[in-house]
Amino acid sequence: MTSDELVKKIADLALDKKAKQITILNLKEIVDYADYFILMTGESSLQIKAISDHIEDELAKQGIKAYSKEGYDYLRWVLLDYVDVVVHIFNHETREFYGIERLYADAKMELITEEEL
């Protein structure tokens, strides 16, 4: 699966669990450590866990395993690293505080809604 296909699949899986503010940052032309960041917000620690688990479980069924997972113990910001695609699942406060979109303002950004997939 290409990174383009993987990021769309992850967005679709996030929508399955009602993730909010799903944003894809295309980093291909500005950094060399990832092709995409995909950011999303969960409304509770339970929802953040559900989103993370769903993405991991469904991709594992296709033989795609995360290189690493961070933040799962606290569920304020879970990071799933699929090498070319890095998934960031935030609660509202943490997403606002770190402002990843502002840090990567030069990246092409795409807001994902159910109609787009």
Side-chain angles (χ1 to χ4, degrees):
M1 183 176 297
T2 68
S3 61
D4 295 335
E5 294 167 334
L6 181 59
V7 77
K8 293 294 185 182
K9 176 68 176 172
I10 291 168
D12 191 32
L13 293 169
L15 284 172
D16 288 347
K17 295 298 177 183
K18 309 297 185 209
K20 306 292 184 205
Q21 298 174 303
I22 302 170
T23 306
I24 296 172
L25 304 181
N26 184 330
L27 305 173
K28 290 179 181 179
E29 295 182 19
I30 60 173
V31 300
D32 60 0
Y33 49 83
D35 289 346
Y36 294 99
F37 280 177
I38 181 166
L39 315 174
M40 61 198 72
T41 302
E43 298 193 340
S44 67
S45 57
L46 187 60
Q47 185 185 24
I48 291 169
K49 182 181 185 309
I51 294 165
S52 175
D53 290 347
H54 186 60
I55 291 169
E56 274 195 293
D57 293 346
E58 292 301 312
L59 292 179
K61 289 177 186 176
Q62 297 180 26
I64 302 168
K65 297 196 187 284
Y67 176 74
S68 69
K69 174 168 63 172
E70 303 292 333
Y72 193 78
D73 293 336
Y74 301 104
L75 297 171
R76 291 186 298 260
W77 177 1
V78 174
L79 183 142
L80 303 172
D81 184 351
Y82 289 96
V83 183
D84 290 332
V85 178
V86 180
V87 182
H88 300 266
I89 310 165
F90 296 98
N91 67 19
H92 290 288
E93 296 80 21
T94 305
R95 185 167 183 173
E96 287 296 316
F97 181 79
Y98 286 100
I100 301 295
E101 292 96 334
R102 291 187 306 271
L103 292 173
Y104 292 91
D106 292 342
K108 295 176 190 168
M109 294 186 198
E110 178 183 359
L111 183 63
I112 300 297
T113 61
E114 287 190 49
E115 295 80 37
E116 294 179 22
L117 294 175

